[in-house]
Amino acid sequence: MAAQEEECKGNVKAQLAKLFEVSLKVTVPNEADVDPLIAACTGKFGDYQCNNAMGLWSKIKGKGTQFCGPPAVGEAIKNNLPTSEMIDSCSVAGPGFVNVVLSKNWMAKSIQMMLIEGIDTWAPQPPVKTAVVDFSSPNIAKEMHVGHLRSTIIGDTLARMLEFSKVKVLRRNHVGDWGTQFGMLIEFLFEKFPNFEDATETAIGDLQAFYKASKQRFDSDPAFKERAQQAVVRLQGGEEKYRRAWAQICEISRTEFHKVYQRLGVHLEEKGESFYNPYIPGVIEGLTKQGLVEESQGARVIFIEGINIPLIVVKSDGGFNYASTDLAALWYRLNEEKAEWIIYVTDVGQQQHFDMVFKAAKRAGWLPQGDNYPKASHVGFGLVLGEDGKRFRTRNTEVVRLVDLLDEAKNRSKAALIERGKGEEWTEEEIESTADAVGYGAVKYADLKNNRLTNYTFNFDQMLNDKGNTAVYLLYAHARICSIIRRSGKDVEELKNKGTLVLEHKDERDLGLHLLQFAEVVEEACTNLLPNVVCDYLYSLSEIFSKFYSNPECKVIGSDKETSRLLLCEATAVVMRKCFNLLGITPIYKI
């Protein structure tokens, strides 16, 4: 049992499941593989409940059972529970729900152990060792805009949650760096810069404008269009001069992307479309040998059951497309990188495309049927809308550049700090780093707190408000907790080892229970790939802390329970910081 407890050290739900597993085996010995159904309680009867009785009753009634209904099954489950220091009391309610009240001593001891051993001991343990998270994925020669923001920060958060859970994460930036538009860009580059290798980002200037000018030329000049189409063939045929020009354009774009990633604190390894290009012929040949690829109207396609359009893997002109690249990338990730979970973060509009690619992979036997590992998941997200309810754009209908948006967020948070008189109190460096943390944190949190599948309205005033469910409110709440600990003048590291945490008052216990639910919340967010679950938890944590701290009966500094309550403050700050870390937000320590 000790080893099992070690396995799910921070996860109360998992630890209770182990106890109820023992009880269920004794209660219904003839029913194989009954998984304990444990949930946190919202009612007043307990902290957690086991909800197996009704389901079990429907299985066993009529089999000559000794039980006479779900409540009797619930009573037996309760009575067969092994004794544990975790549980203070149990009761059965309604149709057999077994309610559990946790022991205050056990709760306090668990929180204190986390403080001594570190929050990493509360990390979830998913059943995978290696995952690929494919996110951000901007197109070369186009600037990153607001649409890339969602993929970048949702993908970064999913990667962080998996990394915290001890999974090796391959963070992949599948940039659009191959295809027909490159002929147009290369020809335009040759025209503008006869010595194209001297072209730098300074010389080219605005990449977006460069792209637009080349596209205009392509659409209006038939001779240029023909040269551009030839350039694609030469590039894809590996001609040296064209490859060098292509590499030059990619490098200039990369410098631009890097500026955004640096500000957002996001790390990615680029493996663009071009990386998988050499693998496409072999992958398609393999699928053809399996009888999956068929001829249709001059193209080569895979028919997917239940979908009325085929997946085109070779176009009628013999060229490859997104599906060809995505199949080759999926093959590579499964076979070369040995990933057990491959997660694609793109807008919901690409749902059907990925659904078809995954179904083709299942037909080929690359992925198992059902929901077993290795598996591939598409993480879709909605649009960023403006105040008018339409896609977020600038006044002249351009998409909003990500760099401008981040500048604006930082400048506004800096102005708010100066307005609050911090210009006199703080160094320039403190102002800058706090404005970075608050501005960029506000943009990230405003996005992540929504269920990713919904559209959300971008509003600076709302996201930079220091009241309500915003990053500003949460960052300030964390800074206040840090200032309580500082004001006490106590060495919190010393208190962790010498002091004792107790949860006597109801508000202390409520806060302790919420802290203990951290591990299962992160596990749920990871399993369902939903960052907003962590945001909801973090906001509730700060609200529950506020209720505890503002209660005169729970006075911290100068009370006879000062040591215990300082430890509770520290535990709250530690859990808040880990939530910030998972969301890619930098905490602040003073306000």
Side-chain angles (χ1 to χ4, degrees):
M1 199 72 179
Q4 286 181 332
E5 278 179 19
E6 196 63 34
E7 264 175 46
C8 50
K9 197 175 213 172
N11 192 322
V12 179
K13 201 192 274 188
Q15 291 181 64
L16 286 172
K18 297 278 182 206
L19 294 173
F20 276 97
E21 204 176 316
V22 174
S23 168
L24 289 163
K25 279 184 180 139
V26 177
T27 308
V28 282
N30 301 326
E31 297 297 320
D33 302 325
V34 180
D35 287 328
L37 303 173
I38 311 297
C41 279
T42 46
K44 56 182 181 293
F45 298 114
D47 302 317
Y48 284 83
Q49 62 184 196
C50 172
N51 300 330
N52 284 84
M54 282 174 75
L56 277 176
W57 172 246
S58 64
K59 276 185 174 182
I60 60 179
K61 67 179 171 186
K63 289 188 184 174
T65 173
Q66 77 220 41
F67 302 114
C68 56
V73 179
E75 282 292 343
I77 294 171
K78 182 193 88 164
N79 295 337
N80 290 325
L81 259 182
T83 53
S84 164
E85 61 165 344
M86 279 184 85
I87 297 176
D88 183 58
S89 64
C90 282
S91 59
V92 178
F97 299 125
V98 183
N99 291 302
V100 174
V101 175
L102 296 175
S103 145
K104 284 194 289 199
N105 289 346
W106 177 84
M107 288 166 68
K109 207 156 65 170
S110 301
I111 294 167
Q112 191 148 4
M113 284 313 291
M114 178 277 285
L115 283 174
I116 293 165
E117 295 176 355
I119 187 95
D120 287 0
T121 56
W122 281 7
Q125 297 183 327
V128 290
K129 289 191 171 65
T130 306
V132 167
V133 182
D134 175 328
F135 66 107
S136 195
S137 313
N139 284 319
I140 294 290
K142 288 187 181 178
E143 282 198 280
M144 288 179 77
H145 57 75
V146 110
H148 296 119
L149 179 69
R150 297 211 76 182
S151 177
T152 305
I153 61 188
I154 293 168
D156 181 52
T157 293
L158 297 178
R160 284 167 179 267
M161 293 195 303
L162 287 163
E163 284 158 351
F164 173 58
S165 308
K166 319 278 194 303
V167 175
K168 178 187 177 188
V169 179
L170 307 175
R171 295 160 158 262
R172 293 285 176 259
N173 200 1
H174 188 88
V175 295
D177 67 348
W178 205 242
T180 46
Q181 79 273 27
F182 278 95
M184 170 184 95
L185 290 164
I186 288 168
E187 270 314 310
F188 198 65
L189 184 73
F190 288 162
E191 216 167 74
K192 290 272 168 209
F193 300 94
N195 301 328
F196 69 89
E197 279 161 334
D198 297 339
T200 59
E201 65 182 300
T202 323
I204 282 183
D206 189 333
L207 264 178
Q208 202 85 348
F210 183 81
Y211 185 91
K212 269 193 192 152
S214 66
K215 177 85 173 88
Q216 213 173 344
R217 190 72 202 285
F218 183 85
D219 292 340
S220 61
D221 182 340
F224 178 83
K225 185 174 186 172
E226 199 173 315
R227 289 203 307 279
Q229 285 164 339
Q230 276 306 303
V232 180
V233 177
R234 293 170 137 187
L235 168 67
Q236 299 190 341
E239 211 170 298
E240 181 58 25
K241 179 184 174 187
Y242 289 81
R243 280 292 169 105
R244 287 208 316 272
W246 166 77
Q248 184 76 350
I249 294 165
C250 290
E251 196 44 50
I252 293 164
S253 281
R254 223 169 264 130
T255 309
E256 287 298 307
F257 300 157
H258 183 66
K259 288 176 189 168
V260 172
Y261 295 139
Q262 217 173 0
R263 290 196 200 191
L264 291 172
V266 171
H267 305 284
L268 279 147
E269 187 185 350
E270 188 183 306
K271 272 192 164 67
E273 291 169 348
S274 60
F275 176 85
Y276 303 101
N277 216 54
Y279 297 93
I280 295 175
V283 166
I284 290 172
E285 192 186 332
L287 294 170
T288 307
K289 279 183 183 159
Q290 285 181 273
L292 266 66
V293 179
E294 302 173 42
E295 294 287 329
S296 174
Q297 297 174 10
R300 296 173 69 196
V301 305
I302 299 174
F303 287 101
I304 308 289
E305 197 181 330
I307 299 175
N308 56 8
I309 52 166
L311 186 67
I312 299 169
V313 293
V314 182
K315 295 186 292 187
S316 52
D317 64 3
F320 299 130
N321 62 2
Y322 283 132
S324 337
T325 306
D326 284 335
L327 281 166
L330 183 54
W331 178 90
Y332 183 89
R333 288 160 176 178
L334 289 164
N335 293 283
E336 298 294 323
E337 295 180 320
K338 307 288 185 218
E340 295 146 288
W341 197 4
I342 302 154
I343 298 162
Y344 295 81
V345 187
T346 74
D347 65 84
V348 285
Q350 294 187 49
Q351 179 75 52
Q352 190 184 51
H353 165 75
F354 282 107
D355 188 34
M356 291 171 79
V357 169
F358 300 161
K359 281 180 173 157
K362 285 183 177 182
R363 273 191 69 192
W366 298 355
L367 293 170
Q369 295 300 328
D371 201 32
N372 301 318
Y373 295 100
K375 70 176 177 181
S377 304
H378 177 248
V379 172
F381 53 82
L383 296 172
V384 182
L385 305 176
E387 298 292 310
D388 56 1
K390 294 179 183 158
R391 196 186 276 262
F392 189 40
R393 295 185 183 278
T394 60
R395 286 214 176 90
N396 58 359
T397 75
E398 292 287 330
V399 289
V400 178
R401 294 166 73 232
L402 213 37
V403 171
D404 295 341
L405 184 140
L406 294 173
D407 279 346
E408 175 83 357
K410 179 182 175 170
N411 292 339
R412 282 180 181 232
S413 60
K414 187 174 176 179
L417 287 170
I418 287 166
E419 206 176 295
R420 288 175 50 227
K422 299 300 170 190
E424 284 80 63
E425 293 174 38
W426 291 3
T427 64
E428 184 60 29
E429 197 183 325
E430 283 175 324
I431 296 263
E432 287 295 319
S433 64
T434 306
D436 277 355
V438 174
Y440 305 155
V443 170
K444 287 184 179 188
Y445 189 82
D447 186 316
L448 294 168
K449 75 175 180 184
N450 303 287
N451 183 312
R452 57 177 166 74
L453 291 166
T454 57
N455 299 338
Y456 84 97
T457 303
F458 194 95
N459 179 318
F460 273 124
D461 293 335
Q462 236 167 358
M463 66 177 64
L464 289 163
N465 195 333
D466 60 3
K467 309 227 167 11
N469 189 6
T470 66
V472 187
Y473 166 74
L474 293 165
L475 287 164
Y476 285 5
H478 171 262
R480 281 191 195 100
I481 298 172
C482 295
S483 87
I484 294 164
I485 296 167
R486 277 197 304 273
R487 282 205 324 270
S488 77
K490 298 281 165 43
D491 179 346
V492 94
E493 291 307 312
E494 204 177 303
L495 296 185
K496 284 179 195 178
N497 294 295
K498 291 186 178 166
T500 305
L501 178 62
V502 287
L503 300 171
E504 287 304 327
H505 192 280
K506 182 187 179 299
D507 288 354
E508 292 175 319
R509 191 184 185 284
D510 288 349
L511 179 55
L513 179 62
H514 197 72
L515 289 169
L516 284 166
Q517 287 168 343
F518 166 79
E520 65 209 46
V521 164
V522 178
E523 186 174 294
E524 183 199 336
C526 259
T527 305
N528 300 319
L529 303 170
L530 290 172
N532 63 297
V533 170
V534 175
C535 297
D536 294 344
Y537 171 84
L538 177 58
Y539 181 57
S540 298
L541 177 59
S542 65
E543 294 284 86
I544 294 166
F545 178 84
S546 183
K547 185 169 178 265
F548 149 77
Y549 186 67
S550 56
N551 186 334
E553 292 173 25
C554 293
K555 183 181 174 202
V556 178
I557 298 171
S559 80
D560 57 351
K561 301 260 179 9
E562 181 180 87
T563 294
S564 169
R565 287 174 182 161
L566 282 171
L567 289 171
L568 198 51
C569 288
E570 174 67 7
T572 306
V574 166
V575 170
M576 283 188 88
R577 279 197 288 279
K578 182 43 75 177
C579 290
F580 287 139
N581 174 264
L582 297 176
L583 300 170
I585 294 171
T586 306
I588 58 173
Y589 293 83
K590 65 177 197 175
I591 47 169

